[in-house]
């Protein structure tokens, strides 16, 4: 067996991977809850959240272009903040990827059950684990190509919805030839029907819709030309968010009064039905299944690469640092799949509650990852100064983003539905700390040795 990953991800594949991560079930299904909370002002919430995510991605992108290593932000935390920070960040992210993988595979089961209600949910979950596991055991280019096609389905759906909705707004298509105009955006309580508080309360929901986009950094270790592909992918994050989130929700809320959308399921189903597509529910169900498979595919990829990176730093068993002749860390992939099988069991025992439970308790891990990216980037800048792909308006941009993430943490504790994330996250950090300090797990390699092993 060889010891290193292969750089098989082209610029096209990484760009579409980034695009796919920005368009997920948070847009197709989760947008309804944020609309009901904020009304039309949810558009501003997505703008603010998108800008913060862009700052995080620019910070990560600057480090990834300078040093495209496996493990991404875990390796940067290890290098610039110390082994303990890298250890905590790596294992937190691995747990996040396994947990989100369970949730996404559960999503596949839930959506498939709409078509085949007679079959138990766990069968579809198990089938998705087998399918995605097989794809991730192939060469990394196979993973990239599957993400390309998963993303293409989502992009085409959103673009068609925006174009069709715009035709209805300005040309009257689907409305008897009478243009709808834009008055629905302000005619039902104004832009802020629930006050500024409504928009503020929606911000955590909006932010977590972008969870997983940091996988761009994980892909840097297998990018064929990271100095070109990573900047291209990162720079397109902001305009993607504006088009696919802000543009889509602008059109949806111009067509329908915002206070009616939450009572009719996915806003996309409602809009396609208005356009005369009577199979709208089936179409969106298919798209959401591909979105869930796409997220599942990405989490399996990222989780296995993080385990591979931790192994090379002496913070996970050495066997996970091996790759096959195609440069795939097969043992790390199989370890992630073994954990995901637990999700199959949970779907058998708790089919009604596992999806919401997993997504709510993993919010802490997502914020931890983003915070560590920004803090590691501070140390990186102090060491190297301004590099070839710099974060703009640094350090003010990073300070503003850290303050925003602190606000998100406060909001997690404020809401009874997400407070459990802080409890579970704190317990996980304590467990990892005890393992590191008391039992010496994760302290088997010095920082200099870890740097050398990643070359």
């Amino acid at each position: 067996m060889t010891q290193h990953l292969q750089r098989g991800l082209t610029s096209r594949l990484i760009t579409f991977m980034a695009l796919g991560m920005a368009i997920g079930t948070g847009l197709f299904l989760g947008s309804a809850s944020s609309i009901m909370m904020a009304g039309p002002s949810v558009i501003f919430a997505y703008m603010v959240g998108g800008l913060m995510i862009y700052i995080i991605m620019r910070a990560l992108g600057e480090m990834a272009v300078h040093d495209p290593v496996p493990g991404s932000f875990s390796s940067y935390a290890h290098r610039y903040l110390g082994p303990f920070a890298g250890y905590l960040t790596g294992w937190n992210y691995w747990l996040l990827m396994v947990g989100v993988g369970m949730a996404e595979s559960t999503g596949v089961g839930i959506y498939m059950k709409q078509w085949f209600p007679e079959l138990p949910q766990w069968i579809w979950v198990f089938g998705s684990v087998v399918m995605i596991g097989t794809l991730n055991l192939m060469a990394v280019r196979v993973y990239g190509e599957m993400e390309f096609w998963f993303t293409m389905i989502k992009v085409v759906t959103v673009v068609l919805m925006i174009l069709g909705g715009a035709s209805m707004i300005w040309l009257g298509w689907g409305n008897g030839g009478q243009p709808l105009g834009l008055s629905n955006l302000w005619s039902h309580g104004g832009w802020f029907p629930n006050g500024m508080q409504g928009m503020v309360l929606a911000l955590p929901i909006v932010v977590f819709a972008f969870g997983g986009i940091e996988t761009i950094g994980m892909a840097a270790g297998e990018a064929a030309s990271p100095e070109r592909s990573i900047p291209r992918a990162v720079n397109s994050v902001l305009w993607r968010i504006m088009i696919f989130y802000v543009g889509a929700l602008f059109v949806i809320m111009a067509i329908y009064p915002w206070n009616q959308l939450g009572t009719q399921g996915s806003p996309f189903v409602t809009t396609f039905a208005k356009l005369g597509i009577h199979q709208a529910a089936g179409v969106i169900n298919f798209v959401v299944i591909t979105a869930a498979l796409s997220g599942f595919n990405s989490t399996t990829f990222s989780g296995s690469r993080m385990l591979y990176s931790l192994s090379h730093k002496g913070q996970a068993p050495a066997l996970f640092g091996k790759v096959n002749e195609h440069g795939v860390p097969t043992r790390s992939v199989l370890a992630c799949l073994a954990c995901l099988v637990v999700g199959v069991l949970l779907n058998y025992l708790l089919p009604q509650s596992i999806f919401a439970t997993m997504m709510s308790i993993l919010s802490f891990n997502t914020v931890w990852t983003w915070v560590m990216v920004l803090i590691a980037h501070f140390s990186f800048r102090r060491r190297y100064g301004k590099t070839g792909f710099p974060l703009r308006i640094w350090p003010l941009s990073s300070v503003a983003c850290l303050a925003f993430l602190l606000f998100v943490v406060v909001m997690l504790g404020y809401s009874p539905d997400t407070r459990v994330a802080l409890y579970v996250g704190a317990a996980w950090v304590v467990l990892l700390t005890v393992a590191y300090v008391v039992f010496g797990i994760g302290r088997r390699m010095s920082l200099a040795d870890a740097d050398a092993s990643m070359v």
Side-chain angles (χ1 to χ4, degrees), residues 363-377:
S363 304
F364 174 87
N365 304 70
T366 302
V367 175
W368 178 285
T369 298
W370 293 343
V371 167
M372 293 308 294
V373 166
L374 293 170
I375 296 176
H377 182 258

Side-chain angles (χ1 to χ4, degrees), residues 122-137:
W122 69 267
I123 290 180
W124 300 112
V125 177
F126 180 73
S128 69
V129 171
V130 173
M131 172 186 172
I132 296 301
T134 301
L135 289 174
N136 275 267
L137 288 170

Side-chain angles (χ1 to χ4, degrees), residues 9 12-22 143-144 147-148 151 215-216 219 298 301:
L9 295 174
R12 171 182 64 89
L13 296 180
I14 289 183
T15 299
F16 268 80
M17 285 168 58
L19 183 56
M21 293 159 205
Y143 158 79
E147 275 303 293
F148 173 85
T151 299
T215 305
I216 298 173
S298 294
F301 169 84

Side-chain angles (χ1 to χ4, degrees), residues 235-258:
N235 280 334
S236 58
V237 165
L238 188 59
W239 67 258
R240 282 191 217 111
I241 290 171
M242 295 306 162
I243 292 176
F244 292 105
Y245 277 87
V246 176
L249 294 181
F250 181 91
V251 167
I252 288 171
M253 287 185 291
I255 295 173
Y256 285 96
W258 69 270

Side-chain angles (χ1 to χ4, degrees), residues 32-279:
S33 58
S34 59
I35 288 172
M36 290 305 296
M37 190 171 290
S41 67
V42 74
I43 292 173
F44 305 120
Y46 274 101
M47 288 180 177
V48 173
L51 179 59
M52 294 300 106
I53 295 300
Y54 178 66
I55 292 172
I56 295 168
M57 295 311 302
R58 279 297 296 243
L60 178 58
E62 182 174 0
M63 294 186 288
V65 170
H66 182 269
D67 196 8
V69 296
S72 187
F73 33 83
S74 171
S75 296
Y76 303 141
H78 187 118
R79 184 165 303 173
Y80 305 126
L81 302 176
F84 182 55
Y87 162 83
L88 285 179
T89 301
W91 281 108
N92 260 297
Y93 192 71
W94 179 82
L95 178 67
L96 174 64
M97 291 297 95
V98 170
V100 173
M102 289 183 186
E104 295 286 15
S105 61
T106 298
V108 174
I110 291 171
Y111 308 135
M112 288 297 294
K113 198 168 177 62
Q114 294 186 29
W115 285 337
F116 303 97
E118 70 281 359
L119 292 177
Q121 184 172 302
W122 69 267
I123 290 180
W124 300 112
V125 177
F126 180 73
S128 69
V129 171
V130 173
M131 172 186 172
I132 296 301
T134 301
L135 289 174
N136 275 267
L137 288 170
M138 299 179 183
V140 69
R141 186 176 179 85
V142 175
Y143 158 79
E145 289 291 350
M146 285 305 303
E147 275 303 293
F148 173 85
W149 289 109
F150 282 148
T151 299
M152 187 65 72
I153 292 170
K154 294 184 286 187
V155 167
V156 169
T157 302
V158 177
V159 169
L160 288 177
M161 195 283 298
I162 292 175
L163 293 177
S167 298
M168 189 186 303
I169 293 168
W170 283 291
L171 301 177
W173 183 30
N175 194 49
Q178 295 296 318
L180 287 171
L182 301 175
S183 61
N184 275 329
L185 290 171
W186 56 80
S187 296
H188 304 277
W191 283 96
F192 294 85
N194 296 326
M196 184 64 71
Q197 181 184 16
M199 190 195 82
V200 170
L201 291 174
L203 279 171
I205 300 174
V206 167
V207 169
F208 292 122
F210 303 126
I213 201 168
E214 69 283 340
T215 305
I216 298 173
M218 298 296 297
E222 293 170 81
S225 303
E227 71 283 355
R228 295 196 305 271
S229 57
I230 298 302
R232 180 180 176 184
V234 169
N235 280 334
S236 58
V237 165
L238 188 59
W239 67 258
R240 282 191 217 111
I241 290 171
M242 295 306 162
I243 292 176
F244 292 105
Y245 277 87
V246 176
L249 294 181
F250 181 91
V251 167
I252 288 171
M253 287 185 291
I255 295 173
Y256 285 96
W258 69 270
N259 51 7
Q260 295 180 16
L261 286 168
T263 63
Q264 303 180 44
S266 168
F268 280 76
V269 173
T270 307
T271 304
F272 275 116
K274 182 77 172 179
L275 289 169
I277 302 176
H278 302 295
Q279 298 80 18

Side-chain angles (χ1 to χ4, degrees), residues 209-388:
F210 303 126
I213 201 168
E214 69 283 340
T215 305
I216 298 173
M218 298 296 297
E222 293 170 81
S225 303
E227 71 283 355
R228 295 196 305 271
S229 57
I230 298 302
R232 180 180 176 184
V234 169
N235 280 334
S236 58
V237 165
L238 188 59
W239 67 258
R240 282 191 217 111
I241 290 171
M242 295 306 162
I243 292 176
F244 292 105
Y245 277 87
V246 176
L249 294 181
F250 181 91
V251 167
I252 288 171
M253 287 185 291
I255 295 173
Y256 285 96
W258 69 270
N259 51 7
Q260 295 180 16
L261 286 168
T263 63
Q264 303 180 44
S266 168
F268 280 76
V269 173
T270 307
T271 304
F272 275 116
K274 182 77 172 179
L275 289 169
I277 302 176
H278 302 295
Q279 298 80 18
V283 170
I284 296 302
N285 199 54
F286 169 74
V287 174
V288 171
I289 288 172
T290 64
L293 286 171
S294 173
F296 189 16
N297 197 29
S298 294
T299 58
T300 305
F301 169 84
S302 297
S304 62
R305 270 51 178 186
M306 185 58 76
L307 200 55
Y308 168 88
S309 174
L310 287 166
S311 176
H312 274 262
K313 292 193 289 286
Q315 296 177 335
L319 62 93
F320 296 129
K322 306 293 184 181
V323 299
N324 64 14
E325 63 274 14
H326 301 296
V328 177
T330 51
R331 296 173 183 177
S332 293
V333 173
L334 291 172
C336 292
L337 293 175
C339 295
L340 289 167
V341 170
V342 175
V344 178
L345 177 61
L346 291 174
N347 270 274
Y348 177 77
L349 299 173
L350 305 166
Q352 303 301 320
S353 58
I354 178 176
F355 184 85
T357 301
M358 291 303 301
M359 293 306 290
S360 64
I361 67 175
L362 293 168
S363 304
F364 174 87
N365 304 70
T366 302
V367 175
W368 178 285
T369 298
W370 293 343
V371 167
M372 293 308 294
V373 166
L374 293 170
I375 296 176
H377 182 258
F378 266 100
S379 181
F380 168 86
R381 268 297 187 90
R382 285 197 297 268
R383 180 181 298 190
Y384 296 108
K386 194 173 182 179
T387 63

